[in-house]
């Protein structure tokens, strides 16, 4: 009899006890998902795009509805209400801080376009941000063009960062005549000359900002963007020299803004406080040197708590949005008021904190492999090695209470020894291929039994070697996605994103697994998961059911992932949609952006899809002529190629 040992022996007893609350706990949903993601009674992920202000969408129903509209997975779903809610939260945090600390000034933020340049998203931000005169930050000429043409609010700021040539500077100066408010931020010492010359030629000056290179320590991955060796910003001697140059050119009146940026995803609020104090003092000194000033731009870096642990670790932050706003407001006030100087309008360039939550990638699992641990039937006159393995396995059919660490360890040592014996015997020709297969299956079956028993021991009394059995026995789930396209930072900088099934959350997940993507790259995997402040290598997942889809969500990926994603193995952009909450739990599909077709990605690398097709057609004709291919077969081949060219680059289920 072949008996599967995939399921834990105790599964019958425990399945009935599993509830959606267990899933919420298991996937840490309350820590990273609040207030936007939850689970409903059907075991589906529930999206509350307006946070706690009411209204929700069943994510599984949404995906089904989108599939009904002929949009296939993988799919990026953007919730415009979440974007709006993030803006709302940012502004209310600053409003509260300003009230609490009696700050005699205001807050006026901008969105750094580099974080997500997608048109619908930028348009939505401008629309939702209009009531606060929310602006944009550009870091290149292309981004400047986006900002100039989309940002039509004359009171909103347009912060111009990045390296600037003469054309960039002139564009910004002339844009003031269009009723825009560009602030040209001097990042490099030599830019001041370009600005002075351009202003002289055009007879008009831009609003000018200075980016300071702070001496305060940085932290985390982007820590090196501050300090004396940072790539950007003016050192203190450069700041002083730049002010002198501006004064001599009669442009000191245009100097309105001081900017600093201490790197993305600031994990530790203490780092920000130091930087704020230093920048606050520089601001005061610039006023003393005669600059009118008016704006202090604290840059980006407001972090996202990806793992929900609220700690100063890479995937988290040890502060809330409100703590951040309080510190900015209080520190800047304390720098200015003792000197009797007016406080600046506070500007921040928070990208990640605004854009991360709104988009969510859903992908389907194509299949799943695991170790072949079915117990094979006993053959007549079995080799002694196989009998030994069977005995070891039989010795593991014991009451959980009898399973001591020592007994389990001994059984594992035996199993490994017998497996090695089997391998040696096979090499020497004493064991057939079938017998070797049987030996391997029995070894895996032992490993599974041992893991099941040792799981009930609790982590402390579990010997290290047995703990590794989780890894050894883990399943690989094949995801219909490319992480290089959709979550490049998981690969590039080990970024952690919450990942979990979006349905079956009322069922106990019985397996541990990792995801492999579609690329032929061994790095193409998702193998680090949120785990209460740390990270774990394996995620609890469900058994695949034949004929039933298994859908996984990758959350909080709205910042940086889209534009950093690449065409590795020619997997293109996925389909994406913009969803708005409508009344009564309904939703509205605002925009559909079709993913790249195979034609699109071929053209991206200079191939001509028509020419490729034509070549195949000719090859087909030759094969028909020589009798190797029938006309109907040639037609079928060409049909397949033509359909593939039109379709997305992902697998069709
Ligand atoms: C990248 C960048 C930002 C955005 O940083 P986040 O961490 O996404 O908030 C803001 N300002 C400048 C100058 C940047 O380079």
């Amino acid at each position: 009899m072949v008996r599967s040992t995939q399921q834990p022996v105790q599964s019958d007893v425990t399945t009935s006890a599993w509830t959606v609350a267990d899933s919420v706990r298991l996937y840490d949903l309350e820590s990273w998902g609040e207030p936007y993601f939850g689970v409903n009674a059907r075991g589906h992920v529930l999206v509350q795009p307006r946070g706690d202000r009411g209204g929700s969408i069943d994510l599984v129903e949404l995906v089904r509805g989108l599939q009904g509209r002929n949009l296939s997975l993988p799919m990026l779903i953007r919730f415009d209400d979440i974007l709006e809610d993030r803006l709302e939260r940012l502004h209310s945090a600053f409003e509260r801080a300003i009230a609490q600390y009696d700050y005699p000034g205001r807050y006026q933020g901008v969105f750094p376009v580099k974080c997500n340049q997608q048109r619908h998203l930028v348009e939505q931000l401008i629309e939702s941000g209009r009531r606060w005169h929310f602006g944009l930050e550009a870091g290149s000429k292309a981004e400047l063009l986006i900002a100039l043409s989309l940002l039509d609010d004359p009171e909103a700021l347009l912060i111009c960062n990045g390296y600037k040539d003469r054309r960039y500077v002139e564009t910004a100066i002339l844009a003031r005549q269009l009723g825009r408010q560009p602030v040209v931020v001097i990042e490099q010492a030599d830019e001041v000359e370009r600005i002075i010359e351009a202003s002289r030629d055009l007879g008009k000056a831009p609003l000018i900002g200075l980016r300071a290179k702070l001496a305060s320590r940085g932290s985390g991955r982007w820590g090196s963007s501050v300090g004396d060796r940072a790539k950007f910003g003016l050192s203190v001697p450069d700041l002083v020299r730049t002010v002198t140059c501006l004064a001599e050119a009669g442009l000191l009146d245009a100097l309105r803004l001081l900017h600093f940026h201490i790197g993305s995803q600031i994990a530790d609020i203490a780092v920000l406080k130091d930087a704020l104090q230093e920048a606050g003092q520089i601001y005061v000194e610039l006023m003393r040197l005669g600059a009118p000033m008016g704006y202090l731009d604290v840059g980006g870096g407001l972090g996202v708590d990806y793992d929900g642990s609220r700690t100063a670790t890479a995937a988290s932050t040890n502060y809330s949005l409100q703590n951040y706003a309080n510190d900015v407001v209080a520190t800047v006030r304390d720098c200015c008021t003792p000197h009797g100087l007016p406080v600046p309008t506070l500007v921040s360039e928070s990208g990640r904190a605004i854009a991360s939550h709104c988009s969510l990638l859903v992908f389907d699992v194509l299949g799943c492999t695991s170790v072949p641990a079915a117990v094979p039937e006993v053959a007549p006159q079995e080799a002694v090695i196989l009998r030994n393995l069977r005995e070891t396995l039989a010795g593991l059919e014991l009451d959980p209470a009898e399973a001591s660490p020592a007994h389990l360890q001994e059984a594992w040592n035996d199993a490994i020894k017998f497996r090695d014996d089997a391998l040696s015997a096979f090499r020497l020709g004493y064991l057939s291929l079938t017998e070797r297969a049987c030996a391997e299956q029995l070894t895996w079956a032992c490993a599974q039994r041992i893991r099941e028993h040792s799981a009930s021991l609790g982590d402390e009394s579990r010997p290290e070697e047995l703990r590794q059995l989780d890894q050894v026995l883990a399943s690989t789930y094949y995801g219909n996605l490319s992480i290089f396209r959709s979550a490049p930072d998981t690969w590039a900088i080990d970024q952690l994103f919450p990942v979990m099934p979006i349905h079956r959350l009322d069922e106990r997940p019985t397996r541990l697994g990792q995801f492999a993507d579609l690329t032929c790259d061994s790095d193409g995997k998702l193998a680090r998961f949120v785990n209460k402040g740390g990270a774990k290598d394996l995620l609890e997942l469900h058994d695949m059911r034949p004929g039933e889809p298994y859908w996984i969500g990758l959350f909080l990926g709205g910042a940086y992932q889209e534009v950093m994603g690449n065409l590795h193995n020619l997997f293109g952009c996925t389909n994406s949609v913009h969803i708005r909450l409508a009344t009564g739990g309904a939703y509205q599909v605002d925009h559909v952006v079709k993913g790249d077709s195979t034609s699109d990605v071929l053209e991206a690398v200079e191939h001509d899809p028509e020419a490729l097709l034509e070549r195949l057609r000719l090859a087909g004709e030759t094969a028909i002529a020589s009798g190797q291919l029938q006309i109907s077969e040639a037609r079928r081949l060409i049909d397949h190629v033509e359909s593939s060219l039109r379709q997305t680059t992902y697998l069709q289920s």
Side-chain angles (χ1 to χ4, degrees):
M1 193 195 72
V2 176
R3 189 160 63 90
S4 166
T5 57
Q6 272 324 306
Q7 298 285 330
V9 273
Q10 73 273 27
S11 68
D12 285 347
V13 200
T14 45
T15 319
S16 53
W18 191 262
T19 66
V20 294
D22 295 312
S23 287
V24 168
R25 211 168 306 124
L26 177 66
Y27 298 112
D28 266 344
L29 201 58
E30 273 175 352
S31 17
W32 59 260
E34 279 276 339
Y36 304 116
F37 306 104
V39 179
N40 65 15
R42 299 166 73 190
H44 298 172
V45 165
L46 195 68
V47 185
Q48 290 144 195
R50 292 183 194 149
D52 29 34
R53 289 178 293 143
S56 61
I57 299 171
D58 180 318
L59 185 57
V60 175
E61 291 302 327
L62 173 63
V63 171
R64 287 195 189 121
L66 293 168
Q67 286 189 322
R69 292 168 171 85
N70 208 15
L71 290 166
S72 55
L73 297 177
M75 185 154 36
L76 194 63
I77 306 177
R78 297 201 189 86
F79 294 95
D80 289 345
D81 298 286
I82 295 187
L83 198 62
E84 193 166 338
D85 192 76
R86 295 304 299 167
L87 268 187
E88 176 105 39
R89 277 166 200 268
L90 178 70
H91 286 92
S92 2
F94 272 99
E95 279 157 21
R96 268 195 297 273
I98 283 169
Q100 185 183 339
Y101 294 97
D102 280 331
Y103 189 81
R106 58 199 181 92
Y107 166 77
Q108 200 186 344
V110 295
F111 176 72
V113 175
K114 80 158 189 273
C115 188
N116 195 325
Q117 299 94 340
Q118 208 269 345
R119 173 163 67 91
H120 300 300
L121 186 137
V122 178
E123 285 175 349
Q124 184 63 51
L125 271 173
I126 292 173
E127 214 35 61
S128 309
R130 207 173 280 281
R131 57 190 147 133
W132 301 287
H133 303 299
F134 189 69
L136 296 175
E137 183 259 7
S140 65
K141 264 191 277 189
E143 289 181 356
L144 177 65
L145 198 65
I146 294 177
L148 276 180
S149 67
L150 296 188
L151 190 61
D152 54 357
D153 176 352
E155 289 186 49
L157 291 171
L158 197 173
I159 307 282
C160 306
N161 286 332
Y163 295 106
K164 296 164 204 71
D165 58 11
R166 180 73 184 257
R167 204 180 294 281
Y168 186 133
V169 174
E170 288 196 10
T171 307
I173 295 177
L174 293 169
R176 273 189 86 184
Q177 314 307 116
L178 298 177
R180 310 286 198 262
Q181 270 208 81
V183 182
V184 178
V185 177
I186 301 178
E187 302 218 18
Q188 304 289 325
D190 62 352
E191 283 173 3
V192 67
E193 292 309 329
R194 235 162 285 147
I195 290 172
I196 291 171
E197 278 166 25
S199 306
R200 198 174 290 142
D201 281 4
L202 293 173
K204 291 183 179 68
L207 298 174
I208 297 174
L210 298 180
R211 175 163 179 172
K213 192 184 277 190
L214 301 182
S216 306
R217 73 204 150 113
S219 84
R221 171 161 299 277
W222 289 275
S224 56
S225 31
V226 287
D228 296 333
R229 303 193 61 82
K231 179 171 158 193
F232 310 101
L234 304 175
S235 63
V236 170
D238 280 343
L239 279 174
V240 174
R241 199 181 61 82
T242 305
V243 171
T244 313
C245 290
L246 289 174
E248 282 169 7
L251 287 175
L252 198 55
D253 263 0
L255 180 51
R256 301 296 172 84
L257 175 142
L258 176 68
H259 168 55
F260 71 89
H261 172 68
I262 56 171
S264 203
Q265 185 68 10
I266 300 171
D268 186 356
I269 189 91
V271 173
L272 178 75
K273 287 190 201 192
D274 285 354
L276 279 167
Q277 277 180 337
E278 188 182 350
Q281 292 307 332
I282 296 175
Y283 181 88
V284 165
E285 294 298 323
L286 289 173
M287 288 195 88
R288 286 193 170 150
L289 290 173
M293 300 310 285
Y295 295 96
L296 177 59
D297 174 355
V298 302
L302 174 55
V304 167
D305 196 0
Y306 292 99
D307 69 9
S309 68
R310 246 310 155 264
T311 54
T313 51
S316 185
T317 61
N318 66 354
Y319 56 91
S320 66
L321 179 54
Q322 191 61 56
N323 299 147
Y324 176 89
N326 289 352
D327 275 346
V328 172
V329 169
T331 315
V332 175
R333 190 200 61 179
D334 292 348
C335 288
C336 294
T337 39
H339 304 284
L341 292 173
V343 296
T345 293
L346 297 166
V347 181
S348 79
E349 303 174 347
S350 309
R352 189 184 294 276
I354 288 177
S356 290
H357 299 74
C358 72
S359 64
L360 149 59
L361 181 82
V362 177
F363 62 92
D364 47 326
V365 174
L366 300 162
C368 136
T369 60
S370 48
V371 296
V375 179
E377 269 179 60
V378 182
Q381 294 175 354
E382 239 176 14
V384 66
I385 296 175
L386 299 184
R387 290 209 302 272
N388 287 340
L389 276 165
R390 284 194 196 277
E391 257 171 49
T392 310
L393 184 60
L396 288 163
E397 300 295 348
L398 37 82
D399 194 79
E402 296 169 53
S404 70
H407 177 83
L408 296 177
Q409 177 78 59
E410 191 186 342
W412 182 232
N413 294 346
D414 288 350
I416 292 290
K417 163 85 173 68
F418 297 141
R419 188 208 50 190
D420 291 347
D421 286 351
L423 195 58
S424 306
F426 176 74
R427 274 202 213 102
L428 296 171
Y430 297 122
L431 217 58
S432 71
L433 193 64
T434 315
E435 286 170 314
R436 182 177 158 190
C438 179
E440 287 187 16
Q441 280 171 278
L442 288 168
T443 312
W444 290 124
C446 290
Q448 283 214 334
R449 280 286 183 283
I450 294 167
R451 191 190 69 182
E452 285 154 22
H453 283 305
S454 71
S456 55
L457 290 177
D459 263 352
E460 315 76 57
S461 47
R462 214 171 153 197
E464 180 55 33
E465 221 170 295
L466 299 190
R467 257 182 253 178
Q468 286 167 6
L469 282 178
D470 283 347
Q471 274 292 346
V472 175
L473 292 167
S475 306
T476 300
Y477 283 69
Y478 294 93
N480 194 12
L481 85 163
S482 156
I483 62 124
F484 300 96
R485 172 81 261 164
S486 296
D489 279 348
T490 60
W491 163 68
I493 57 170
D494 273 340
Q495 159 111 42
L496 205 55
F497 292 103
V499 175
M500 64 179 281
I502 64 165
H503 56 163
R504 298 179 62 183
L505 297 168
D506 50 353
E507 283 175 47
R508 176 187 294 274
T510 51
R511 292 199 185 202
L512 288 172
Q514 302 185 329
F515 298 97
D517 77 357
L518 291 177
T519 65
C520 307
D521 191 315
S522 49
D523 278 356
K525 60 184 183 190
L526 284 174
R528 281 180 78 239
F529 305 100
V530 162
N531 185 29
K532 301 178 178 61
K536 57 186 181 188
D537 309 335
L538 298 171
L539 188 67
E540 292 79 359
L541 293 165
H542 301 85
D543 251 327
M544 300 273 298
R545 290 202 201 105
E548 252 186 54
Y550 191 42
W551 290 338
I552 309 293
L554 187 147
F555 295 77
L556 310 189
Y560 302 111
Q561 301 317 293
E562 284 162 62
V563 80
M564 307 273 272
N566 62 52
L567 280 174
H568 195 7
N569 264 144
L570 296 189
F571 288 104
C573 288
T574 67
N575 289 324
S576 64
V577 292
H578 285 248
I579 299 297
R580 267 282 183 188
L581 195 62
T583 44
Y587 60 84
Q588 178 180 318
V589 184
D590 272 357
H591 308 283
V592 171
V593 184
K594 280 276 193 184
D596 290 331
S597 67
T598 304
S599 270
D600 294 335
V601 300
L602 286 172
E603 281 172 356
V605 284
E606 310 296 335
H607 291 283
D608 177 349
E610 281 305 319
L612 294 186
L613 192 62
E614 186 54 21
R615 277 183 166 178
L616 275 180
R617 211 175 267 134
L618 291 174
E621 289 304 326
T622 312
I624 292 170
S626 66
Q628 291 193 310
L629 190 73
Q630 308 206 335
I631 292 180
S632 61
E633 291 170 329
R635 176 183 161 175
R636 192 166 188 153
L637 176 64
I638 296 299
D639 274 352
H640 284 323
V641 175
E642 280 182 333
S643 314
S644 299
L645 285 174
R646 276 196 312 273
Q647 286 173 342
T648 79
T649 53
Y650 295 92
L651 269 56
Q652 313 284 316
S653 48

